[in-house]
Amino acid sequence: MKVAVVGGGSTYTPELVDGFARLREELPVSELALIDPDPRRLELVAGMARRMLAHAGHPARVLATSSAAEGVAGAAVVLFQLRVGGQAARELDETVPGRCGCVGQETTGAGGLAKALRTVPVVLSIAETVRKHAPDAWIVDFTNPVGIVTRALLDAGHRAIGLCNVAIGFQRRFAAWLGADPARVSLGHVGLNHLSWERAVFLDGEDVLPALLERHGAELAAMVGLRPGLLARLGAVPSYYLRYFYAHDEVVREQRTGPSRASEVAALEERLLELYADPAVVTKPELLAGRGGAFYSEAAVALIASLLGDRRDVQVVNVRNGGTLPFLPDEAVVEVPAVVGASGARPLPVPPVGPLYAGLIGHVSAYETLALEAAVHGGADRVRDALLAHPLVGQDKLAEELTALLLEAGRAHLPWARGPVDA
C-alpha cells in the first residue's frame, strides 16, 4: 500500500511516520512518498523517516520527490499537510490583523482568510494531479483551514475527508482522567473545524461530562484559555479556538506584547531540522511535542485504516453537512462524529443544537462560503464580503482596511492581486 504526503518536508512528518511504524498491523504501508518543493527540508525529513522505519523494523520504502505526479502515482491515500508560504506567511497572518485591532491567528478570523486565499488554489491544483495519477485515492486533508479546504475539494468532486486533532486530543485527555482505554471513550463533538464543543463525553455509552467538569473544570478551563465559570455555565467544553471569540479583546492585548506563534514555531522547526540531520536520531524527538499536532498520527492512521479496510467505526471528521445540522446548507462542511468505511464518512445524527451554539456556527459557516468564493475566484470585493460576514470583523470600514492589508501582504501568493485589485 502506498501513502503519499503532500508537504512531506514538514517537521510534522516524523509524527506521522511514528504512527505508521507503531500501528503497522492496522495500516501495512509498503511505500511512503514524501512530496515537497523545499529540497533541504525534504532531504532531512526523508532521511529521518528512513531511520525511524529501519529502527522499528518496518519494511516500507521512502520516496522523496518534488514532483507531485511522481509522488501520488498509484497511491491509495494522499495526505495534504502543506503550508503555502511557510512560517513567513503565517507570521503575516498573525500580525497583520492586529494593525486593525483584530485577533491574529492562522486559521481564525482575518488571518484564516488570508491563509485560505493562498492555500485553496494550490490544494485544488495538486488535487487535480491526484485525480489524474491516482484516481481511486482518498485525499485526507490536514491542511488548514481544514473546513474551507475540505469543502473546496468536495465542491471540485474529489474523494476527500478533512481531519483535525482537536477531538482526539480531548478524547485522550478524558480517557486518561477516567483511567480508561481510549476506545471506551467517545465524544458528543459538534461544530465546524476550529469552532467546536464537546457537549458529552461517553464512557461505555454513559455521559460522564458533568462529573469531569466537576472534578477537572479548572484544569479544562486552563487548557482552553477560558474562565471556569463559562464552562460550568455551558455544561460543555469549547475547543481552545473558541477563546478567539469568547475572549477576543483579551487575546488581542496579549498578542500586542508577546511573540507570535509563527516566530516560536520557526525557531522550533530549525531545532527539529537539526535533530533530523543527526544520523544518531532514530526515533521521534521529544521536542516535536512542542510543534503541535498531538495525536495527529493516531487520528490519521485510524482514518486511513477505516477508509481502506471498511471498518465502519466512528471518528470525528470534516464532512458534508447533508442535513446533520438542519440550520446549515447541505453543502456546508461540519466537524462531527461519523461512521467511516470504504464509501467514505456518514455523519451520525446530532442532538439539537441550541441558539447559543447554532448562531455562531451559522455565522462562521456563512463566512466560510464567502471565503471559499474569494479563494477560488479572487477579487477584493469577495475578500471584503467574507471579512464583513465574519463575526470577528463584521464592520464595513474595518473590512475595507483589512482587505487592503491582506492583499498587500499576500500578493506574492495571489496572482490576481498583483495588478489593479477589483472584483
Side-chain angles (χ1 to χ4, degrees):
M1 174 196 306
K2 179 178 179 179
V3 174
V5 182
V6 179
S10 168
T11 53
Y12 269 133
T13 298
E15 173 76 29
L16 186 62
V17 175
D18 179 70
F20 289 149
R22 289 187 296 102
L23 303 169
R24 60 193 295 181
E25 296 301 321
E26 295 183 58
L27 197 64
V29 177
S30 58
E31 182 176 4
L32 178 63
L34 304 181
I35 306 160
D36 203 285
D38 186 324
R40 172 179 173 253
R41 294 174 70 104
L42 184 60
E43 178 183 2
L44 293 176
V45 173
M48 180 68 187
R50 293 186 182 105
R51 294 195 306 273
M52 290 177 66
L53 292 171
H55 178 73
H58 196 293
R61 167 182 178 248
V62 176
L63 167 67
T65 179
S66 61
S67 167
E70 179 186 17
V72 305
V77 174
V78 181
L79 284 89
F80 283 15
Q81 59 173 34
L82 61 151
R83 180 182 292 280
V84 179
Q87 296 300 328
R90 178 179 181 171
E91 175 77 16
L92 295 172
D93 296 342
E94 294 180 349
T95 56
V96 168
R99 301 178 198 173
C100 296
C102 293
V103 69
Q105 212 280 328
E106 63 159 343
T107 65
T108 302
L113 176 59
K115 186 169 190 184
L117 292 176
R118 66 177 182 270
T119 301
V120 166
V122 174
V123 164
L124 291 178
S125 176
I126 298 172
E128 288 303 317
T129 301
V130 175
R131 197 198 304 268
K132 180 178 180 180
H133 295 279
D136 297 323
W138 279 101
I139 295 175
V140 173
D141 178 60
F142 197 67
T143 294
N144 283 319
V146 168
I148 295 173
V149 172
T150 300
R151 180 165 175 183
L153 289 165
L154 292 172
D155 284 358
H158 298 288
R159 302 180 78 206
I161 296 179
L163 181 65
C164 180
N165 67 322
V166 167
I168 193 172
F170 276 129
Q171 183 218 28
R172 297 304 172 86
R173 177 59 63 98
F174 295 145
W177 282 339
L178 294 165
D181 187 299
R184 297 171 56 199
V185 178
S186 60
L187 304 175
H189 184 102
V190 69
L192 310 175
N193 178 245
H194 290 186
L195 192 88
S196 59
W197 297 261
E198 311 305 332
R199 296 190 297 165
V201 178
F202 299 103
L203 176 63
D204 299 329
E206 178 185 355
D207 186 8
V208 296
L209 179 57
L212 286 171
L213 284 170
E214 183 177 349
R215 296 172 192 162
H216 301 282
E219 191 173 351
L220 279 167
M223 281 174 53
V224 300
L226 295 167
R227 295 184 302 112
L230 175 61
L231 272 64
R233 189 165 73 253
L234 294 175
V237 183
S239 86
Y240 41 86
Y241 290 92
L242 264 300
R243 186 168 190 258
Y244 300 118
F245 295 83
Y246 292 157
H248 176 275
D249 293 353
E250 181 181 346
V251 173
V252 171
R253 286 194 296 270
E254 292 171 357
Q255 290 182 338
R256 285 173 176 162
T257 59
S260 68
R261 176 61 178 163
S263 64
E264 294 174 343
V265 170
L268 178 63
E269 286 192 332
E270 283 305 312
R271 296 200 297 274
L272 283 169
L273 290 172
E274 290 174 5
L275 289 172
Y276 298 166
D278 184 349
V281 179
V282 296
T283 59
K284 180 180 68 173
E286 290 185 10
L287 184 63
L288 186 54
R291 177 65 181 83
F295 305 112
Y296 164 40
S297 62
E298 285 90 338
V301 169
L303 178 56
I304 296 170
S306 295
L307 289 171
L308 301 185
D310 197 28
R311 298 196 309 187
R312 303 186 189 184
D313 56 352
V314 176
Q315 300 176 41
V316 174
V317 291
N318 285 262
V319 293
R320 288 282 198 204
N321 178 45
T324 306
L325 300 182
F327 54 89
L328 294 184
D330 286 350
E331 64 270 18
V333 166
V334 295
E335 187 173 274
V336 293
V339 177
V340 182
S343 61
R346 176 177 54 81
L348 292 173
V350 170
V353 177
L356 183 61
Y357 307 105
L360 188 52
I361 292 170
H363 202 161
V364 175
S365 180
Y367 148 77
E368 290 187 346
T369 297
L370 294 169
L372 182 55
E373 285 289 310
V376 171
H377 301 292
D381 284 349
R382 293 188 181 94
V383 174
R384 190 179 299 110
D385 286 348
L387 289 167
L388 192 60
H390 200 292
L392 296 184
V393 181
Q395 300 178 62
D396 174 48
K397 185 177 179 181
L398 186 56
E400 185 174 3
E401 292 174 355
L402 277 169
T403 296
L405 289 171
L406 295 184
L407 295 189
E408 178 61 33
R411 284 185 192 278
H413 304 286
L414 304 174
W416 54 268
R418 292 173 194 161
V421 177
D422 52 38

